[in-house]
Amino acid sequence: MKKHVLAMGGGGFTSKPENLKLDEYLLSLSNKKNPKVCFIPTASGDDESYRRRFYSSYKKLNCETSHLSLYWPPEGDLREFVLDKDIFYVGGGNTRNLMVLWKEWGLDKYLYEAWDNGAIMAGLSAGSICWFEKGLTDSVTGKLLPLDCLGFLPNSNCPHFDSESQRRPEYHKAILNGSMMEGIACDDGVAAHFVDGKLKCCVSSLPNAKAYNVSAENGKINESIIEPKYL
């Protein structure tokens, strides 16, 4: 089974419901005509309006939709619920809270098992960085800090690279001081597609958006552009 992760810097139905190119690309990764897509809005505190936007957007696409709340969990066995799904889309919000709740419920282990069995993992912002070893998060109000994440993917991740002015300098700073390892950063509208832990390609729903490989050498930042395929 191929292990897919689609890590989005921003965009998709969350901010641009009129532009579902990233969402359509996500569905195209499944070998099923009507895949079961599960939205996980933990990071937003299961925000109801966020959940409505997911259903409103994805009903336009060829898929079967559901959502997973840890505040009002589904009846029956949580593991069975998770293993029944084909695609997981994790929404944005507070990544630190997401990590705590997932581990308390064992959801991190169930998702890994599902991923190991061929389920596709995806998400934006918090739902992007959560799959990596570390991510740059604004979970503490007013600060951008490194956070230990799930480690499905190696190295680190930073979303919103073009839309939030402090993202780039703080990501550079964290890599230079060793609190984060090298990684990939994505502008809004860009998704990094990983297969079996390696970057396969980047895609974009916006014509000028970019992705970047970011690393440090001899006390200096190396930042190389990854030109995404415009969908």
Side-chain angles (χ1 to χ4, degrees):
M1 291 287 187
K2 297 287 188 181
K3 296 180 180 180
H4 293 271
V5 175
L6 190 67
M8 310 177 203
F13 82 89
T14 296
S15 59
K16 294 185 178 295
E18 74 284 359
N19 184 347
L20 298 179
K21 291 178 180 178
L22 292 181
D23 307 276
E24 291 168 348
Y25 181 82
L26 171 60
L27 295 185
S28 77
L29 302 182
S30 174
N31 57 10
K32 298 183 179 180
K33 292 183 179 180
N34 196 48
K36 296 177 180 178
V37 183
C38 182
F39 179 51
I40 308 181
T42 312
S44 67
D46 284 355
D47 182 78
E48 184 179 350
S49 65
Y50 202 179
R51 190 167 66 245
R52 287 200 302 265
R53 277 182 284 157
F54 165 73
Y55 282 113
S56 176
S57 295
Y58 272 69
K59 72 179 182 181
K60 303 171 186 175
L61 306 174
N62 294 322
C63 61
E64 180 182 326
T65 54
S66 64
H67 72 276
L68 173 57
S69 169
L70 293 180
Y71 295 89
W72 298 274
E75 293 184 7
D77 186 84
L78 180 58
R79 176 178 175 271
E80 289 182 5
F81 177 91
V82 170
L83 295 182
D84 180 57
K85 306 301 183 287
D86 303 307
I87 298 173
F88 294 91
Y89 189 120
V90 179
N94 191 306
T95 319
R96 187 174 180 178
N97 288 348
L98 174 154
M99 294 298 301
V100 170
L101 282 169
W102 283 14
K103 290 181 179 180
E104 176 65 26
W105 283 84
L107 182 57
D108 55 333
K109 295 178 181 178
Y110 301 150
L111 287 173
Y112 188 89
E113 185 178 357
W115 185 56
D116 203 37
N117 290 335
I120 298 162
M121 303 295 148
L124 84 167
S125 195
S128 174
I129 71 175
C130 68
W131 310 115
F132 293 79
E133 289 181 83
K134 282 183 177 285
L136 190 69
T137 178
D138 58 358
S139 297
V140 177
T141 303
K143 296 181 179 180
L144 286 165
L145 300 169
L147 180 72
D148 290 334
C149 296
L150 295 176
F152 286 24
L153 297 176
N155 298 325
S156 67
N157 179 235
C158 181
H160 307 304
F161 213 52
D162 62 334
S163 62
E164 297 181 8
S165 62
Q166 290 304 305
R167 286 279 179 177
R168 180 180 255 112
E170 289 299 323
Y171 192 44
H172 288 181
K173 177 182 175 181
I175 291 175
L176 282 172
N177 67 27
S179 59
M180 294 184 78
M181 63 287 285
E182 65 183 77
I184 187 167
C186 291
D187 289 344
D188 287 354
V190 174
H193 179 193
F194 290 81
V195 180
D196 295 336
K198 297 181 179 180
L199 181 66
K200 178 183 178 182
C201 66
C202 291
V203 296
S204 177
S205 62
L206 300 173
N208 298 315
K210 300 287 190 293
Y212 310 83
N213 278 317
V214 186
S215 61
E217 185 177 0
N218 298 323
K220 294 183 179 180
I221 283 290
N222 292 325
E223 187 179 287
S224 58
I225 293 175
I226 304 171
E227 287 289 349
K229 176 185 177 183
Y230 178 54
L231 298 172

